[in-house]
Amino acid sequence: MSSLLVDNIGELVTNEAGRGEGGPLGIRRRAALLIEEGEVAWVGSAADAPAADRRIDADGAAVLPGFVDSHAHLVFAGDRAGEFAARMAGQPYTGGGIRTTVRATRAASDGELRATVRRLRAEALRQGTTTIEIKSGYGLTVADEARSLRIAAEVSTETTFLGAHVVPAEYADRPDDYVGLVCGPMLHAAAPYAKWIDVFCERGAFDVDHARAILACGQALGLGVRVHANQLGPGPGVRLGVELGAASVDHCTHLTDADVDALASTRFDCMCADGGHTTTVATLLPGAEFSTRSPYPDARRLLDARVTVALATDCNPGSSYTSSMPFCIALAVREMRMTPAEAVWAATAGGARALRRDDIGVLRPRARADLIILDAPSHLHLAYRPGVPLIRQVLHNGVPL
Ligand SMILES: [Zn+2]
C-alpha cells in the first residue's frame, strides 16, 4: 500500500469543529496529513508525521478540503455571451434564455456535449473543485434528458434530473401534459443515471402543485430532492423543499420570515462537535446575482437563524457562467457579509451537507483525500485576494493533479 505525506502545512483547515482554532474550520497549525488508498489515514502535528513512501512539502502554505460545488449545469451547447452583454446594457433577466440553450443542446451531438462537460469539469478541478454536482435540464425531451445524465454520470456520481427546468416551447400551452411526460417516461429514462431530482419552482417555470407532483414521483423512484427556489421573487419553493425533506433548497434570494423559520425547523441538534445542522441546506449561488446584476441573498439572516448554508457556482451558460468556487467565496464575503471562515466552510463542508455526504468537505481519517494546497499562508486569502489563481496543487482521491 503506497502512502503519501503532505508535510509542512502552515494552516490546515479540517472542518472538524472543536478540533482546533477557527471555530467550524477546525484549524491546525504546523500540521501534516497522511494519505493511503485515496483516503486520509492520519492528521496531526508535522513534528509527529509518520514515514511515507512519498512526500509533498506544502512549504508553510494553507491546505483545505477540496471545494464541493453542489449546484452546476454543465451539460449544454452554445453560449449566451450576447444575452449577458444585453443584460449588462440594461435588459432584465427573466430565465427565458434557457430555451435558447435547449435548442442548441438538442441540436448537438453526444460528442459535443461530452467535450463541454469534460472541459468544464477539468476547469473546475484546476480551481480546486473536487466534487461537482451536475444537472440535466437543457434537453427537455425523453432522449435528450437521458443522454444529458448519461454523459454527466461519466464524470460525477452527483447527478440531478432537472427535466422540470422550464416548460419547453412545444408544450407552452399545455404544461399539464409536460408535467405528465416529466413524471412518466422522462423520469424513467433519466433515473438510472440520476441520484437527485430538482425542479425550478418559480413564476414562469413550475408552480408549486406541479413541482410537488414531479418531486414526489422522483422520490418514489428513490431520488433525493433538491429545489431551485425563491430566486426571482418570493414564492413557495423553499417551504415545498422543507415539506419534502429536500437535501437543499437553492438560490434563496427572496425569503420571508416563514421561509427562514421553515428551514430552521429542520435543525438536527446533536452532541457532535459543531452542535448540529439543518437537514435542509440553503445553498446560495452569488454568481447568479453577480451575472444578472440582482440583489444578493441575505446570508446573515440564514446564519443567524442557524440554518446550514452552502455556496455553489450555479455554473450555466445563461445566468452564471463561472466554475470558480474562490470567486463565489469572495462574493459571499464582500457582497453577502459572510466571514471568510463561514464562506470557506460553506464552499466545502456546506456543499457536502447539501449532497448529504460526510466523506468529503472534511479532512479527517477515512475521509476522501480531496484537498487543495493554496499559494497562500491562510484560507483568508481566498477572499482577500479575489481573482488571483491561488490554487497551487489539487489532490483528488489522493492523487496529485
Ligand atoms: Zn441552477
Side-chain angles (χ1 to χ4, degrees):
M1 185 166 58
S2 165
S3 58
L4 171 62
L5 183 73
V6 183
D7 201 3
N8 200 12
I9 301 168
E11 175 190 281
L12 177 64
V13 173
T14 66
N15 285 341
E16 283 225 275
R19 301 282 177 89
E21 33 175 315
L25 294 187
I27 290 172
R28 289 170 172 269
R29 307 277 171 199
R30 290 174 291 285
L33 180 147
L34 184 71
I35 297 166
E36 289 174 349
E37 304 276 305
E39 293 185 349
V40 177
W42 174 90
V43 176
S45 165
D48 304 329
D53 301 320
R54 290 176 298 148
R55 179 175 175 274
I56 292 176
D57 186 349
D59 196 22
V63 169
L64 61 155
F67 299 123
V68 179
D69 186 354
S70 60
H71 186 136
H73 308 248
L74 305 188
V75 193
F76 62 85
D79 72 33
R80 280 152 54 197
E83 179 189 315
F84 175 77
R87 204 159 55 232
M88 293 304 106
Q91 286 186 13
Y93 176 72
T94 62
I98 291 170
R99 292 195 180 90
T100 307
T101 299
V102 170
R103 275 194 298 279
T105 303
R106 288 176 178 176
S109 69
D110 288 11
E112 288 167 324
L113 293 181
R114 181 173 287 117
T116 297
V117 169
R118 292 187 176 225
R119 174 176 61 79
L120 291 170
R121 177 69 194 98
E123 181 182 284
L125 194 55
R126 284 197 301 276
Q127 298 171 93
T129 299
T130 46
T131 302
I132 191 164
E133 181 260 17
I134 304 177
K135 301 175 196 298
S136 67
Y138 292 116
L140 309 187
T141 66
V142 173
D144 286 310
E145 285 296 296
R147 76 165 174 154
S148 294
L149 286 161
R150 198 175 65 239
I151 289 167
E154 293 171 3
V155 301
S156 179
T157 58
E158 302 293 343
T159 51
T160 301
F161 170 50
L162 182 58
H165 198 183
V166 291
V167 176
E170 64 273 21
Y171 282 89
D173 51 1
R174 44 192 183 109
D176 290 343
D177 289 355
Y178 186 66
V179 172
L181 179 72
V182 171
C183 286
M186 193 184 284
L187 173 62
H188 281 86
Y193 310 106
K195 177 174 173 183
W196 305 97
I197 185 164
D198 193 346
V199 171
F200 189 17
C201 183
E202 194 84 40
R203 192 165 299 169
F206 293 86
D207 68 25
V208 69
D209 294 329
H210 282 157
R212 182 187 286 108
I214 291 164
L215 294 171
C217 290
Q219 274 184 313
L221 281 188
L223 303 185
V225 169
R226 334 183 62 75
V227 188
H228 279 69
N230 303 57
Q231 175 188 5
L232 305 177
V238 164
R239 275 164 287 154
L240 176 65
V242 169
E243 172 193 321
L244 295 177
S248 179
V249 290
D250 296 31
H251 284 291
C252 295
T253 310
H254 297 272
L255 299 184
T256 63
D257 288 345
D259 297 324
V260 177
D261 289 347
L263 284 166
S265 76
T266 72
R267 187 163 186 84
F268 172 77
D269 284 304
C270 66
M271 298 302 289
C272 39
D274 60 354
H277 54 90
T278 56
T279 55
T280 298
V281 173
T283 298
L284 308 182
L285 309 166
E289 278 76 33
F290 176 88
S291 300
T292 58
R293 196 175 275 147
S294 302
Y296 289 88
D298 189 345
R300 286 255 59 87
R301 185 181 179 200
L302 290 162
L303 290 163
D304 291 346
R306 300 177 71 217
V307 173
T308 303
V309 170
L311 285 171
T313 63
D314 196 17
C315 183
N316 79 84
S319 58
S320 183
Y321 201 8
T322 180
S323 55
S324 170
M325 291 293 280
F327 174 64
C328 294
I329 289 169
L331 286 181
V333 171
R334 172 61 179 82
E335 303 293 339
M336 287 154 50
R337 298 172 191 277
M338 291 174 75
T339 67
E342 287 167 340
V344 167
W345 190 94
T348 51
R353 292 265 166 85
L355 295 172
R356 299 244 162 112
R357 296 271 300 267
D358 59 10
D359 60 330
I360 55 175
V362 61
L363 293 174
R364 63 171 171 236
R366 289 179 301 285
R368 300 303 314 162
D370 289 347
L371 52 104
I372 302 163
I373 304 174
L374 291 186
D375 246 336
S378 164
H379 69 282
L380 296 171
H381 286 230
L382 287 165
Y384 171 49
R385 307 200 64 214
V388 177
L390 291 179
I391 311 300
R392 180 191 299 171
Q393 187 160 29
V394 179
L395 280 79
H396 189 211
N397 293 320
V399 179
L401 301 180

